[in-house]
Amino acid sequence: MTKLTANRRQFLALAAGGAAAAAVSVPQEGRAQVATSAKIVIIGAGAGGTALANRLVSRLEGAQITLIDPRVEHLYQPGLSLVAAGLKPASYVVSKTTDWLPDGVTLIAEAAAAIDPEAKTVDTASGQKVPYDFLVVAPGLVLDHDAIEGFSLDMVGQNGIGALYAGPQYAAATWKAAQAYTETGGVGLFTRPATEMKCAGAPLKHTFLIEDIARTAGTRGKLDVHYMANNDSLFGVRIVSEKVRMLFGDRGITPEYSHVLRGLDAGAKTATFATPEGDVTMDYDYIHVIPPQRAPEVIRQSGLSWADKWTDQGWVECDMATLRHLRYDTIWALGDVAGVPKGKTAASVKWQVPAIEDGLVAAIEGRESTETYNGYTSCPMITRVGRAMLVEFYYNNNLVPSFPGVIAPLEELWISWLMKEVALKATYNAMLRGRA
C-alpha cells in the first residue's frame, strides 16, 4: 500500500467515523491536576467558552469556574451555510447550551452587563456582581443589522432577501428566498461587510452554492450573479483571492470591488452601496445581506477594547500569541471578540483554547506560559455542492495544509467537501467536550 493510499484511507475513516474518530484525542490525558481555589469567570458559552470550561475542569482541582451566558441554545454556526442552501434543516445547527457543559461549572444564565477590570468583577443583567481572579471574555460578536438602512430581520425570506448569519430560522428563510431566485432568475447581489467578520469565506460559499444549485437545475442562464467585495480583494489571502477570481470567471460570477452595502429599498428591490466614487444604487431580484460586525456593547463599554485599532468595532486589546490582555494580565480574549488579525472561525477557536488554558494554568502556578496561538484559521471553501477547497493559513497568510499530499488547498475536491459536510461537526463537538 502506498503512503498516499494509506493517508486517503485514514482520512476517509475520520470522515466516516464522525464523533467517535474525532473524540480519540484527549489533550488532558496524562496531566496531573493543578490544585487551586481560583475564581475563573468565562463570559460566553459558545464554542470557545464551552471548550475552555471543559478543559479547565479536567485540568484544575478546586477551581470555581463560572460561565455567564443567557443563551438557551448552542448554535453550530459553521452549518448555517448548509442550511441557507437547502442542504440541511435548521435543526442541524441547534442544541442546548447545557448539553455541553461539564459538572463542576456554574452557569449564570444571564447576560453580562458590565465588566470592571480594576475591581475584578462582572455584573450580570439582574445586578448580580460576580468576582473573579481570572476572566476570559468569549461573548462572540454582534450583527449590526441597524447599520443597513431600510433593512430588518423580519424581511428575510421575502422579496428576495436573505441573511444566513442571523441564525437557523433566518438561514432557513434565506434558502426560501434563494431557492425562488434559482428558479425565476434575475440579478443576485451577494454582499460582504467592510468590518472584520466571522468566517470571511461564508459570503463566497453562499455565492458559489446558489450559483451551482441553479446550474444543476438547468436555470443558470436566468441568473446574473454579482459578488460585492468590500475592497479590492475577494479574500484576505492573496493566492486564495486569485483562485476565487479565476473560479468566478469560469462560473460567470461578476465581482464588484469596493462595494459596501449601505441600505436597501425592499419595495423597489434596490440596494445602495458605498464605493470610492460615491454611492451606487443597483436593482436586485435576490440580495444576501451580511451586516457590519462588532464586539458586544459590554465589551466596548468596559475599557478592554483597542484604543487605536478597529475603533468602530471594539475588539479586545490582546497579545497576538497569548491572547492575554495587554493592560490587564488577569484577562484573556477568546474567539470572535479577540482583537487579532485572524481567528474568527471555529477552527481558530480550537487552537486558541489550548493557549489560553496554558496561560491560565501558568498564571495560577506562577510560571511563564509555553503555549501560543499562531493565527491558524481554516475555511472549507465550498465551491459547489460536493466540492470544496480546504484553505488553511496562519497570521502571515502562508497556506498550511493539514493533509499534504492528500488535500491540495486550492483544488476543488470531494474530500474537502467531506471535511465540511461530515467530519467538521464531529470534530467541533469533540472540541466542545475539550477532546480536540
Side-chain angles (χ1 to χ4, degrees):
M1 182 186 301
T2 67
K3 181 178 180 181
L4 179 59
T5 302
N7 285 343
R8 288 182 184 276
R9 290 187 178 180
Q10 290 168 4
F11 178 80
L12 289 172
L14 171 64
V24 169
S25 173
V26 183
Q28 313 297 337
E29 193 172 1
R31 296 192 193 184
Q33 281 195 315
V34 176
T36 179
S37 59
K39 298 181 179 67
I40 300 172
V41 173
I42 303 171
I43 298 176
T50 297
L52 181 63
N54 274 287
R55 292 173 70 103
L56 290 177
V57 163
S58 298
R59 190 78 184 276
L60 301 175
E61 181 181 4
Q64 301 176 51
I65 303 172
T66 302
L67 273 167
I68 300 176
D69 196 316
R71 292 172 292 185
V72 174
E73 294 180 338
H74 181 96
L75 298 183
Y76 171 60
Q77 295 182 66
L80 290 173
S81 293
L82 300 177
V83 176
L87 301 173
K88 295 289 184 182
S91 59
Y92 174 72
V93 302
V94 180
S95 58
K96 291 182 180 178
T97 297
T98 53
D99 286 348
W100 304 103
L101 300 183
D103 293 337
V105 167
T106 299
L107 173 64
I108 299 177
E110 298 181 44
I115 302 167
D116 187 336
E118 300 290 347
K120 294 186 179 180
T121 59
V122 177
D123 290 354
T124 70
S126 70
Q128 182 178 353
K129 193 174 292 290
V130 184
Y132 66 82
D133 297 307
F134 303 102
L135 173 67
V136 178
V137 288
L141 52 72
V142 294
L143 303 170
D144 189 2
H145 292 108
D146 291 341
I148 308 299
E149 184 178 347
F151 174 76
S152 62
L153 284 175
D154 58 6
M155 297 176 175
V156 179
Q158 306 173 51
N159 296 315
I161 298 175
L164 73 84
Y165 268 74
Q169 69 271 39
Y170 298 107
T174 293
W175 169 236
K176 177 183 175 183
Q179 183 181 34
Y181 171 60
T182 65
E183 294 169 353
T184 60
V187 176
L189 306 179
F190 294 78
T191 73
R192 192 255 193 240
T195 61
E196 299 292 320
M197 62 180 295
K198 64 173 69 190
C199 190
L204 294 167
K205 296 175 194 177
H206 189 60
T207 309
F208 278 128
L209 279 170
I210 299 310
E211 190 276 342
D212 184 58
I213 288 168
R215 188 177 296 275
T216 301
T219 58
R220 177 61 180 89
K222 299 180 180 180
L223 274 60
D224 181 11
V225 182
H226 297 253
Y227 181 80
M228 320 305 288
N230 66 302
N231 54 26
D232 60 358
S233 177
L234 297 173
F235 196 79
V237 179
R238 185 175 297 277
I239 191 172
V240 179
S241 177
E242 178 60 17
K243 177 65 175 183
V244 170
R245 187 193 65 79
M246 294 170 62
L247 290 174
F248 275 5
D250 292 341
R251 304 273 287 272
I253 298 170
T254 303
E256 306 284 358
Y257 295 101
S258 299
H259 278 60
V260 177
L261 183 64
R262 286 190 56 252
L264 56 82
D265 183 332
K269 282 195 170 183
T270 61
T272 300
F273 295 87
T275 79
E277 289 74 38
D279 287 354
V280 172
T281 298
M282 299 176 64
D283 295 330
Y284 68 82
D285 295 283
Y286 175 71
I287 185 169
H288 184 241
V289 176
I290 302 180
Q293 300 176 24
R294 314 186 195 281
E297 186 70 15
V298 65
I299 298 296
R300 286 182 278 151
Q301 296 298 321
S302 66
L304 298 180
S305 302
W306 283 99
D308 57 352
K309 300 179 183 178
W310 301 297
T311 53
D312 63 326
Q313 297 162 58
W315 312 120
V316 174
E317 177 186 354
C318 61
D319 182 83
M320 288 173 57
T322 65
L323 303 172
R324 198 172 194 171
H325 201 279
L326 294 180
R327 289 176 286 115
Y328 300 102
D329 64 4
T330 59
I331 298 177
W332 285 260
L334 172 58
D336 293 343
V337 80
V340 295
K342 311 289 184 192
K344 290 177 172 45
T345 70
S348 302
V349 165
K350 179 180 182 297
W351 294 99
Q352 291 175 353
V353 165
I356 294 177
E357 174 199 358
D358 188 66
L360 276 166
V361 174
I364 289 169
E365 293 183 316
R367 62 173 173 84
E368 291 296 318
S369 175
T370 59
E371 295 286 337
T372 57
Y373 171 62
N374 58 15
Y376 178 85
T377 303
S378 174
C379 175
M381 178 81 72
I382 299 171
T383 55
R384 61 184 75 235
V385 177
R387 290 290 186 273
M389 301 184 298
L390 183 57
V391 179
E392 303 167 275
F393 49 94
Y394 292 157
Y395 277 136
N396 58 12
N397 287 337
N398 287 346
L399 297 183
V400 285
S402 294
F403 301 92
V406 179
I407 300 179
L410 297 182
E411 289 187 25
E412 299 176 86
L413 302 172
W414 67 270
I415 203 166
S416 299
W417 165 263
L418 284 181
M419 282 289 291
K420 171 70 175 181
E421 209 271 341
V422 178
L424 183 58
K425 189 176 184 182
T427 303
Y428 177 93
N429 290 347
M431 177 187 74
L432 290 185
R433 297 290 188 200
R435 296 171 178 165

PDB file of all heavy atoms in Angstrom, residues 145-146 148-163 166 169-170 173-174 176-177 264 266 289:
ATOM      1  N   HIS A 145     -27.315  44.869  12.296  1.00  0.00           N
ATOM      2  CA  HIS A 145     -28.290  44.975  11.207  1.00  0.00           C
ATOM      3  C   HIS A 145     -28.826  46.397  11.054  1.00  0.00           C
ATOM      4  O   HIS A 145     -29.199  46.810   9.953  1.00  0.00           O
ATOM      5  CB  HIS A 145     -29.449  44.006  11.438  1.00  0.00           C
ATOM      6  CG  HIS A 145     -29.056  42.564  11.311  1.00  0.00           C
ATOM      7  ND1 HIS A 145     -28.954  41.725  12.394  1.00  0.00           N
ATOM      8  CD2 HIS A 145     -28.715  41.822  10.227  1.00  0.00           C
ATOM      9  CE1 HIS A 145     -28.581  40.525  11.990  1.00  0.00           C
ATOM     10  NE2 HIS A 145     -28.431  40.555  10.683  1.00  0.00           N
ATOM     11  N   ASP A 146     -28.851  47.142  12.154  1.00  0.00           N
ATOM     12  CA  ASP A 146     -29.370  48.516  12.097  1.00  0.00           C
ATOM     13  C   ASP A 146     -28.496  49.422  11.224  1.00  0.00           C
ATOM     14  O   ASP A 146     -28.943  50.492  10.798  1.00  0.00           O
ATOM     15  CB  ASP A 146     -29.473  49.108  13.503  1.00  0.00           C
ATOM     16  CG  ASP A 146     -30.565  48.454  14.334  1.00  0.00           C
ATOM     17  OD1 ASP A 146     -31.463  47.824  13.736  1.00  0.00           O
ATOM     18  OD2 ASP A 146     -30.517  48.561  15.569  1.00  0.00           O
ATOM     19  N   ILE A 148     -27.630  48.806   8.284  1.00  0.00           N
ATOM     20  CA  ILE A 148     -28.117  48.708   6.902  1.00  0.00           C
ATOM     21  C   ILE A 148     -29.458  49.436   6.828  1.00  0.00           C
ATOM     22  O   ILE A 148     -30.484  48.937   7.308  1.00  0.00           O
ATOM     23  CB  ILE A 148     -28.280  47.246   6.450  1.00  0.00           C
ATOM     24  CG1 ILE A 148     -26.997  46.454   6.707  1.00  0.00           C
ATOM     25  CG2 ILE A 148     -28.692  47.184   4.985  1.00  0.00           C
ATOM     26  CD1 ILE A 148     -25.791  46.966   5.959  1.00  0.00           C
ATOM     27  N   GLU A 149     -29.465  50.619   6.262  1.00  0.00           N
ATOM     28  CA  GLU A 149     -30.678  51.432   6.199  1.00  0.00           C
ATOM     29  C   GLU A 149     -31.777  50.706   5.423  1.00  0.00           C
ATOM     30  O   GLU A 149     -31.547  50.151   4.344  1.00  0.00           O
ATOM     31  CB  GLU A 149     -30.364  52.764   5.517  1.00  0.00           C
ATOM     32  CG  GLU A 149     -31.531  53.744   5.487  1.00  0.00           C
ATOM     33  CD  GLU A 149     -31.149  55.061   4.836  1.00  0.00           C
ATOM     34  OE1 GLU A 149     -29.939  55.298   4.633  1.00  0.00           O
ATOM     35  OE2 GLU A 149     -32.067  55.840   4.526  1.00  0.00           O
ATOM     36  N   GLY A 150     -32.961  50.686   6.021  1.00  0.00           N
ATOM     37  CA  GLY A 150     -34.102  50.073   5.359  1.00  0.00           C
ATOM     38  C   GLY A 150     -34.227  48.577   5.556  1.00  0.00           C
ATOM     39  O   GLY A 150     -35.180  47.963   5.067  1.00  0.00           O
ATOM     40  N   PHE A 151     -33.296  47.973   6.301  1.00  0.00           N
ATOM     41  CA  PHE A 151     -33.306  46.518   6.487  1.00  0.00           C
ATOM     42  C   PHE A 151     -33.729  46.155   7.900  1.00  0.00           C
ATOM     43  O   PHE A 151     -33.359  46.811   8.862  1.00  0.00           O
ATOM     44  CB  PHE A 151     -31.916  45.936   6.230  1.00  0.00           C
ATOM     45  CG  PHE A 151     -31.810  44.463   6.535  1.00  0.00           C
ATOM     46  CD1 PHE A 151     -32.340  43.522   5.663  1.00  0.00           C
ATOM     47  CD2 PHE A 151     -31.202  44.022   7.701  1.00  0.00           C
ATOM     48  CE1 PHE A 151     -32.247  42.168   5.947  1.00  0.00           C
ATOM     49  CE2 PHE A 151     -31.105  42.671   7.998  1.00  0.00           C
ATOM     50  CZ  PHE A 151     -31.635  41.736   7.108  1.00  0.00           C
ATOM     51  N   SER A 152     -34.493  45.078   8.014  1.00  0.00           N
ATOM     52  CA  SER A 152     -34.805  44.486   9.311  1.00  0.00           C
ATOM     53  C   SER A 152     -34.947  42.985   9.122  1.00  0.00           C
ATOM     54  O   SER A 152     -35.243  42.509   8.019  1.00  0.00           O
ATOM     55  CB  SER A 152     -36.092  45.072   9.908  1.00  0.00           C
ATOM     56  OG  SER A 152     -37.200  44.788   9.076  1.00  0.00           O
ATOM     57  N   LEU A 153     -34.732  42.240  10.188  1.00  0.00           N
ATOM     58  CA  LEU A 153     -34.700  40.783  10.072  1.00  0.00           C
ATOM     59  C   LEU A 153     -36.036  40.185   9.657  1.00  0.00           C
ATOM     60  O   LEU A 153     -36.077  39.084   9.099  1.00  0.00           O
ATOM     61  CB  LEU A 153     -34.236  40.167  11.402  1.00  0.00           C
ATOM     62  CG  LEU A 153     -32.736  40.284  11.684  1.00  0.00           C
ATOM     63  CD1 LEU A 153     -32.418  39.760  13.075  1.00  0.00           C
ATOM     64  CD2 LEU A 153     -31.934  39.531  10.636  1.00  0.00           C
ATOM     65  N   ASP A 154     -37.146  40.894   9.929  1.00  0.00           N
ATOM     66  CA  ASP A 154     -38.437  40.333   9.526  1.00  0.00           C
ATOM     67  C   ASP A 154     -38.611  40.319   8.010  1.00  0.00           C
ATOM     68  O   ASP A 154     -39.580  39.751   7.489  1.00  0.00           O
ATOM     69  CB  ASP A 154     -39.599  41.072  10.194  1.00  0.00           C
ATOM     70  CG  ASP A 154     -39.625  42.569   9.889  1.00  0.00           C
ATOM     71  OD1 ASP A 154     -38.804  43.023   9.056  1.00  0.00           O
ATOM     72  OD2 ASP A 154     -40.447  43.274  10.485  1.00  0.00           O
ATOM     73  N   MET A 155     -37.678  40.928   7.275  1.00  0.00           N
ATOM     74  CA  MET A 155     -37.725  40.902   5.807  1.00  0.00           C
ATOM     75  C   MET A 155     -37.128  39.619   5.221  1.00  0.00           C
ATOM     76  O   MET A 155     -37.368  39.299   4.055  1.00  0.00           O
ATOM     77  CB  MET A 155     -36.948  42.083   5.235  1.00  0.00           C
ATOM     78  CG  MET A 155     -37.496  43.449   5.586  1.00  0.00           C
ATOM     79  SD  MET A 155     -36.390  44.729   4.939  1.00  0.00           S
ATOM     80  CE  MET A 155     -37.320  46.210   5.340  1.00  0.00           C
ATOM     81  N   VAL A 156     -36.339  38.910   6.010  1.00  0.00           N
ATOM     82  CA  VAL A 156     -35.595  37.773   5.482  1.00  0.00           C
ATOM     83  C   VAL A 156     -36.555  36.677   5.016  1.00  0.00           C
ATOM     84  O   VAL A 156     -37.477  36.291   5.734  1.00  0.00           O
ATOM     85  CB  VAL A 156     -34.622  37.217   6.537  1.00  0.00           C
ATOM     86  CG1 VAL A 156     -33.862  36.003   5.992  1.00  0.00           C
ATOM     87  CG2 VAL A 156     -33.646  38.295   6.971  1.00  0.00           C
ATOM     88  N   GLY A 157     -36.321  36.208   3.811  1.00  0.00           N
ATOM     89  CA  GLY A 157     -37.190  35.187   3.216  1.00  0.00           C
ATOM     90  C   GLY A 157     -38.251  35.759   2.313  1.00  0.00           C
ATOM     91  O   GLY A 157     -38.945  35.012   1.617  1.00  0.00           O
ATOM     92  N   GLN A 158     -38.395  37.090   2.309  1.00  0.00           N
ATOM     93  CA  GLN A 158     -39.405  37.753   1.486  1.00  0.00           C
ATOM     94  C   GLN A 158     -38.723  38.716   0.508  1.00  0.00           C
ATOM     95  O   GLN A 158     -37.642  39.218   0.767  1.00  0.00           O
ATOM     96  CB  GLN A 158     -40.375  38.539   2.361  1.00  0.00           C
ATOM     97  CG  GLN A 158     -41.027  37.728   3.477  1.00  0.00           C
ATOM     98  CD  GLN A 158     -41.841  38.605   4.397  1.00  0.00           C
ATOM     99  OE1 GLN A 158     -42.681  39.381   3.944  1.00  0.00           O
ATOM    100  NE2 GLN A 158     -41.607  38.489   5.689  1.00  0.00           N
ATOM    101  N   ASN A 159     -39.400  38.971  -0.589  1.00  0.00           N
ATOM    102  CA  ASN A 159     -38.920  39.976  -1.557  1.00  0.00           C
ATOM    103  C   ASN A 159     -37.458  39.767  -1.943  1.00  0.00           C
ATOM    104  O   ASN A 159     -36.709  40.726  -2.140  1.00  0.00           O
ATOM    105  CB  ASN A 159     -39.111  41.389  -1.001  1.00  0.00           C
ATOM    106  CG  ASN A 159     -40.563  41.729  -0.796  1.00  0.00           C
ATOM    107  OD1 ASN A 159     -41.392  41.456  -1.657  1.00  0.00           O
ATOM    108  ND2 ASN A 159     -40.880  42.298   0.358  1.00  0.00           N
ATOM    109  N   GLY A 160     -37.038  38.506  -2.012  1.00  0.00           N
ATOM    110  CA  GLY A 160     -35.699  38.209  -2.479  1.00  0.00           C
ATOM    111  C   GLY A 160     -34.590  38.571  -1.517  1.00  0.00           C
ATOM    112  O   GLY A 160     -33.467  38.841  -1.938  1.00  0.00           O
ATOM    113  N   ILE A 161     -34.853  38.564  -0.206  1.00  0.00           N
ATOM    114  CA  ILE A 161     -33.850  38.967   0.785  1.00  0.00           C
ATOM    115  C   ILE A 161     -33.414  37.770   1.624  1.00  0.00           C
ATOM    116  O   ILE A 161     -34.243  37.040   2.162  1.00  0.00           O
ATOM    117  CB  ILE A 161     -34.389  40.071   1.705  1.00  0.00           C
ATOM    118  CG1 ILE A 161     -34.715  41.325   0.885  1.00  0.00           C
ATOM    119  CG2 ILE A 161     -33.398  40.405   2.812  1.00  0.00           C
ATOM    120  CD1 ILE A 161     -35.372  42.425   1.685  1.00  0.00           C
ATOM    121  N   GLY A 162     -32.098  37.572   1.725  1.00  0.00           N
ATOM    122  CA  GLY A 162     -31.531  36.536   2.561  1.00  0.00           C
ATOM    123  C   GLY A 162     -30.567  37.124   3.578  1.00  0.00           C
ATOM    124  O   GLY A 162     -30.027  38.213   3.380  1.00  0.00           O
ATOM    125  N   ALA A 163     -30.342  36.395   4.680  1.00  0.00           N
ATOM    126  CA  ALA A 163     -29.386  36.838   5.722  1.00  0.00           C
ATOM    127  C   ALA A 163     -29.072  35.621   6.595  1.00  0.00           C
ATOM    128  O   ALA A 163     -29.647  35.452   7.666  1.00  0.00           O
ATOM    129  CB  ALA A 163     -29.961  37.978   6.558  1.00  0.00           C
ATOM    130  N   ALA A 166     -27.803  35.435  10.659  1.00  0.00           N
ATOM    131  CA  ALA A 166     -28.633  35.838  11.789  1.00  0.00           C
ATOM    132  C   ALA A 166     -29.122  34.682  12.651  1.00  0.00           C
ATOM    133  O   ALA A 166     -29.627  34.905  13.745  1.00  0.00           O
ATOM    134  CB  ALA A 166     -29.825  36.655  11.293  1.00  0.00           C
ATOM    135  N   GLN A 169     -33.232  30.016  11.954  1.00  0.00           N
ATOM    136  CA  GLN A 169     -34.510  30.308  11.318  1.00  0.00           C
ATOM    137  C   GLN A 169     -34.332  31.254  10.145  1.00  0.00           C
ATOM    138  O   GLN A 169     -35.036  31.155   9.126  1.00  0.00           O
ATOM    139  CB  GLN A 169     -35.516  30.876  12.338  1.00  0.00           C
ATOM    140  CG  GLN A 169     -35.208  32.264  12.878  1.00  0.00           C
ATOM    141  CD  GLN A 169     -34.328  32.235  14.101  1.00  0.00           C
ATOM    142  OE1 GLN A 169     -33.391  31.437  14.203  1.00  0.00           O
ATOM    143  NE2 GLN A 169     -34.615  33.142  15.052  1.00  0.00           N
ATOM    144  N   TYR A 170     -33.358  32.150  10.260  1.00  0.00           N
ATOM    145  CA  TYR A 170     -33.099  33.090   9.161  1.00  0.00           C
ATOM    146  C   TYR A 170     -32.323  32.421   8.029  1.00  0.00           C
ATOM    147  O   TYR A 170     -32.511  32.762   6.860  1.00  0.00           O
ATOM    148  CB  TYR A 170     -32.360  34.311   9.690  1.00  0.00           C
ATOM    149  CG  TYR A 170     -33.167  35.078  10.703  1.00  0.00           C
ATOM    150  CD1 TYR A 170     -32.837  35.039  12.052  1.00  0.00           C
ATOM    151  CD2 TYR A 170     -34.287  35.813  10.323  1.00  0.00           C
ATOM    152  CE1 TYR A 170     -33.594  35.719  12.995  1.00  0.00           C
ATOM    153  CE2 TYR A 170     -35.046  36.498  11.254  1.00  0.00           C
ATOM    154  CZ  TYR A 170     -34.694  36.451  12.595  1.00  0.00           C
ATOM    155  OH  TYR A 170     -35.452  37.131  13.517  1.00  0.00           O
ATOM    156  N   ALA A 173     -34.971  30.666   6.169  1.00  0.00           N
ATOM    157  CA  ALA A 173     -35.732  31.641   5.382  1.00  0.00           C
ATOM    158  C   ALA A 173     -34.909  32.149   4.198  1.00  0.00           C
ATOM    159  O   ALA A 173     -35.448  32.441   3.122  1.00  0.00           O
ATOM    160  CB  ALA A 173     -36.169  32.806   6.265  1.00  0.00           C
ATOM    161  N   THR A 174     -33.598  32.243   4.390  1.00  0.00           N
ATOM    162  CA  THR A 174     -32.705  32.640   3.296  1.00  0.00           C
ATOM    163  C   THR A 174     -32.807  31.638   2.153  1.00  0.00           C
ATOM    164  O   THR A 174     -32.857  32.023   0.973  1.00  0.00           O
ATOM    165  CB  THR A 174     -31.254  32.731   3.804  1.00  0.00           C
ATOM    166  OG1 THR A 174     -31.167  33.812   4.735  1.00  0.00           O
ATOM    167  CG2 THR A 174     -30.277  32.968   2.658  1.00  0.00           C
ATOM    168  N   LYS A 176     -35.348  29.861   1.389  1.00  0.00           N
ATOM    169  CA  LYS A 176     -36.641  30.075   0.726  1.00  0.00           C
ATOM    170  C   LYS A 176     -36.504  31.147  -0.356  1.00  0.00           C
ATOM    171  O   LYS A 176     -36.973  30.972  -1.488  1.00  0.00           O
ATOM    172  CB  LYS A 176     -37.680  30.503   1.768  1.00  0.00           C
ATOM    173  CG  LYS A 176     -39.052  30.820   1.199  1.00  0.00           C
ATOM    174  CD  LYS A 176     -39.997  31.296   2.304  1.00  0.00           C
ATOM    175  CE  LYS A 176     -41.339  31.741   1.735  1.00  0.00           C
ATOM    176  NZ  LYS A 176     -42.237  32.270   2.809  1.00  0.00           N
ATOM    177  N   ALA A 177     -35.842  32.256  -0.008  1.00  0.00           N
ATOM    178  CA  ALA A 177     -35.665  33.331  -0.985  1.00  0.00           C
ATOM    179  C   ALA A 177     -34.672  32.943  -2.074  1.00  0.00           C
ATOM    180  O   ALA A 177     -34.871  33.237  -3.256  1.00  0.00           O
ATOM    181  CB  ALA A 177     -35.189  34.602  -0.274  1.00  0.00           C
ATOM    182  N   LEU A 264     -31.082  49.391   1.670  1.00  0.00           N
ATOM    183  CA  LEU A 264     -31.881  48.807   0.606  1.00  0.00           C
ATOM    184  C   LEU A 264     -33.323  49.291   0.696  1.00  0.00           C
ATOM    185  O   LEU A 264     -33.792  49.732   1.747  1.00  0.00           O
ATOM    186  CB  LEU A 264     -31.802  47.279   0.619  1.00  0.00           C
ATOM    187  CG  LEU A 264     -32.170  46.498   1.889  1.00  0.00           C
ATOM    188  CD1 LEU A 264     -33.680  46.320   2.011  1.00  0.00           C
ATOM    189  CD2 LEU A 264     -31.513  45.128   1.871  1.00  0.00           C
ATOM    190  N   ALA A 266     -36.707  47.568   0.008  1.00  0.00           N
ATOM    191  CA  ALA A 266     -37.278  46.254  -0.276  1.00  0.00           C
ATOM    192  C   ALA A 266     -38.437  46.336  -1.261  1.00  0.00           C
ATOM    193  O   ALA A 266     -38.631  45.433  -2.073  1.00  0.00           O
ATOM    194  CB  ALA A 266     -37.736  45.592   1.022  1.00  0.00           C
ATOM    195  N   VAL A 289     -27.697  39.653   2.575  1.00  0.00           N
ATOM    196  CA  VAL A 289     -27.247  40.739   3.441  1.00  0.00           C
ATOM    197  C   VAL A 289     -26.377  40.180   4.569  1.00  0.00           C
ATOM    198  O   VAL A 289     -26.824  39.317   5.341  1.00  0.00           O
ATOM    199  CB  VAL A 289     -28.447  41.496   4.045  1.00  0.00           C
ATOM    200  CG1 VAL A 289     -27.969  42.564   5.028  1.00  0.00           C
ATOM    201  CG2 VAL A 289     -29.294  42.115   2.940  1.00  0.00           C
TER     202      VAL A 289
END
